[in-house]
Amino acid sequence: MQEDFLHFCWKFRKFASPHLTTTDGETVTIIHPGQHNHDAGPDFAQARVKIGDLIWAGDLEIHTYSRFWHQHEHHKD
């Protein structure tokens, strides 16, 4: 699967959004997918996601594999 395809799915919400949950069973709601960034930096800026009762806001990265988080050194920024 290509990241561009995942970006498209995220941007246009092409998934079963009423049924999103974390691995712990908490409900996930996409409030705003953010602004798609085609340059260097995060994939989406100013995204808003609600997980359980907590709203998260900020930059968002999408990868096809979780190991890419460390390979791309996102844990350092």
Side-chain angles (χ1 to χ4, degrees), residues 28-64:
V28 177
T29 304
I30 311 306
I31 298 169
H32 187 275
Q35 299 300 112
H36 195 182
N37 178 20
H38 298 279
D39 295 321
D43 297 326
F44 291 85
Q46 301 174 348
R48 292 176 52 89
V49 178
K50 183 177 180 184
I51 302 174
D53 294 327
L54 186 60
I55 295 177
W56 294 84
D59 296 338
L60 188 130
E61 280 288 329
I62 294 176
H63 291 295
T64 52

Side-chain angles (χ1 to χ4, degrees), residues 3 7-8 11-12 16 26 29 31-32 39-40 53 55 62 67-68 74:
E3 276 190 29
H7 291 177
F8 173 84
K11 182 177 181 176
F12 296 107
E26 290 187 275
T29 304
I31 298 169
H32 187 275
D39 295 321
D53 294 327
I55 295 177
I62 294 176
R67 70 178 181 267
F68 291 162
H74 295 306

Side-chain angles (χ1 to χ4, degrees), residues 66-75:
S66 61
R67 70 178 181 267
F68 291 162
W69 180 262
H70 287 283
Q71 287 178 357
H72 294 178
E73 299 187 347
H74 295 306
H75 61 291

Side-chain angles (χ1 to χ4, degrees), residues 8-33:
F8 173 84
C9 291
W10 178 262
K11 182 177 181 176
F12 296 107
R13 302 177 190 199
K14 299 293 185 183
F15 44 83
S17 59
H19 306 290
L20 296 177
T21 60
T22 67
T23 55
D24 294 331
E26 290 187 275
T27 300
V28 177
T29 304
I30 311 306
I31 298 169
H32 187 275

